[in-house]
Amino acid sequence: MRQENKLDKVLLYGQRATLLPSRALEAFREDGTKSENQPKRLRTARFAIFSSRPIEHALGVRWLRLLFTLIICCFFPLDLLRLADLGSAGRIAPFRHYKFTTLETRGGTAADALPGISEFGLLEYTGDLYSCRASAMQGANFTQLTEEGNGAVLLMSLREKGTRWYDSWFLVTRRELGSQALDPVKFKLEASDDLVSWVTVGSSTWEQLDLKIVMTGRAAETPLERGAVMEMDMRLSWAIVLGQGFAILVFNGSAFLLAILGNLGYHRWATSAFEWGFAVQVLLQLARALSHALSLDLVTNEAAHAFFR
C-alpha cells in the first residue's frame, strides 16, 4: 500500500512537471496575449521589431500602438472618400450644354470651318450589352460655331439639364465620301451650364490612374468608315475596381480592426485579422491579373468602336 502511495506521488510529480507548464503556455496563448500578461521585456520596440512576431509584439508597445492608431484614424476616412467616388469615375456629369472641339484632323491640320463629325451625343447603359442615347437628348439643338483658337466646334444644347450621370458619349463620322481627311483624331468634349465656364468631360484618349480618369488627348483611332459610330466609354474597368478599389477597402478595414483589437489588448486576434485581410487582398490582385489575361476589362485606354441601339 505504501509502495502504491509512493508511486502515485511520483506520477503526480511527473504530471505537474510536464503538463502544468504546457497548460500555462496554452492559457497564455488563448487569452489573446493581452499586454498586461506579457513580460516587461516583450514591451520594448527593439524586441518587437526583431522578434519572430513583430506585429503582435509591436501592439504590446504602448507608444507604437498609439502611433499606428493615429495614422489609421487619419488615412482611413480619406480612403473611404476616394471609394465613394468610384460610382462616378469616368462618367459624365449632367450639364445644360456640351460642345465638341476638333483639335487635330486625320490630315494633320486643325479644324477650320467644319467640326469634322456629323453629330455627337451622350449614352446611357441599359443593363445589357448595348448603350442607348440619353433620354435628355430628345429635342436637343445642335449649332456649328467657330471659336478663336479652337476652330470649328459643334454645340449641343439640351432642353433641360439632366438629373442623372451619363455612362459614356459618342461621335459619328461625316457621311460624305472622301471626307476621311477631315476626321478628328484629337478632340475633346466640354460641358457648361452658362456657356461661359467650361469643364472638360471627355477626350480622344484617356488613362485610368489611381481610381481616377486622366485625359491624355493623344491621337485616337477614328474609324475610316463613313457614318461610323465611335463610343468613348471611360468608366473604370473591373480590374481597376477589384485590384485597387476593393483591395484598398479590405486593407484599410483589416488595419482598422488591427488598431481596435490592439488597443483592447487582443494582439493575437488582431494579427490574425490583419493576416486574413492581407490574404483577401492577394486574391483580389490575382483576380485583377486574371481579368487582364482573359481580356475581361470593360474599359480600354483608347477609344473603342461600338454601335448602339
Side-chain angles (χ1 to χ4, degrees):
M1 187 68 179
R2 296 180 59 184
Q3 186 176 0
E4 291 181 359
N5 291 336
K6 292 182 179 180
L7 182 60
D8 291 340
K9 292 182 179 180
V10 173
L11 292 176
L12 181 61
Y13 176 79
Q15 184 183 39
R16 289 178 176 179
T18 56
L19 295 181
L20 291 183
S22 61
R23 289 176 180 175
L25 292 176
E26 182 68 15
F28 176 74
R29 185 188 69 84
E30 291 181 349
D31 70 352
T33 61
K34 292 186 176 181
S35 56
E36 59 267 19
N37 294 332
Q38 294 182 356
K40 188 175 181 180
R41 68 181 182 84
L42 300 183
R43 304 181 195 178
T44 62
R46 180 181 178 86
F47 176 83
I49 294 175
F50 293 101
S51 66
S52 59
R53 294 180 296 177
I55 297 178
E56 185 175 337
H57 288 154
L59 292 175
V61 183
R62 186 172 183 272
W63 70 269
L64 284 179
R65 183 173 65 251
L66 294 179
L67 178 62
F68 178 76
T69 304
L70 178 63
I71 295 175
I72 290 299
C73 291
C74 291
F75 286 96
F76 190 47
L78 297 178
D79 290 329
L80 290 180
L81 292 177
R82 290 175 56 199
L83 294 177
D85 296 333
L86 281 179
S88 60
R91 304 177 70 196
I92 301 174
F95 285 91
R96 180 75 167 76
H97 308 279
Y98 296 87
K99 71 175 180 179
F100 176 88
T101 304
T102 299
L103 303 177
E104 183 179 328
T105 63
R106 193 187 304 275
T109 60
D112 189 8
L114 298 175
I117 61 173
S118 298
E119 61 173 314
F120 74 95
L122 306 170
L123 297 175
E124 295 175 344
Y125 186 62
T126 59
D128 50 23
L129 298 178
Y130 299 94
S131 299
C132 63
R133 292 175 182 263
S135 57
M137 286 185 58
Q138 295 180 2
N141 182 34
F142 288 88
T143 308
Q144 290 189 9
L145 303 174
T146 302
E147 293 184 350
E148 184 178 356
N150 287 333
V153 300
L154 186 59
L155 176 66
M156 178 180 65
S157 298
L158 305 179
R159 292 193 302 177
E160 59 182 11
K161 183 177 179 180
T163 58
R164 54 166 294 180
W165 288 57
Y166 306 107
D167 296 317
S168 60
W169 66 288
F170 72 95
L171 63 85
V172 181
T173 59
R174 299 187 66 86
R175 293 178 171 83
E176 296 86 354
L177 296 178
S179 59
Q180 284 84 351
L182 298 176
D183 291 340
V185 292
K186 292 183 180 181
F187 48 84
K188 63 179 178 179
L189 179 68
E190 298 174 284
S192 173
D193 286 327
D194 54 9
L195 295 176
V196 177
S197 301
W198 293 90
V199 179
T200 302
V201 295
S203 175
S204 52
T205 58
W206 61 91
E207 296 287 344
Q208 299 179 354
L209 299 175
D210 194 24
L211 300 179
K212 295 182 179 179
I213 302 298
V214 179
M215 309 294 178
T216 56
R218 296 192 299 267
E221 298 180 0
T222 307
L224 292 171
E225 296 81 5
R226 299 300 81 198
V229 179
M230 180 178 178
E231 180 182 356
M232 276 62 67
D233 189 350
M234 301 182 298
R235 290 173 298 174
L236 293 177
S237 64
W238 283 109
I240 295 294
V241 173
L242 283 176
Q244 294 186 8
F246 286 107
I248 290 176
L249 181 62
V250 170
F251 176 80
N252 286 292
S254 60
F256 188 69
L257 188 60
L258 176 69
I260 293 178
L261 294 177
N263 283 279
L264 292 177
Y266 297 99
H267 303 160
R268 187 177 184 85
W269 294 354
T271 305
S272 299
F274 188 77
E275 291 173 350
W276 276 105
F278 183 77
V280 173
Q281 189 178 16
V282 171
L283 293 178
L284 290 175
Q285 295 295 340
L286 291 177
R288 176 187 178 184
L290 183 62
S291 66
H292 277 300
L294 298 179
S295 301
L296 296 180
D297 290 350
L298 300 180
V299 178
T300 60
N301 290 335
E302 300 294 335
H305 302 265
F307 291 89
F308 59 90
R309 295 184 300 183

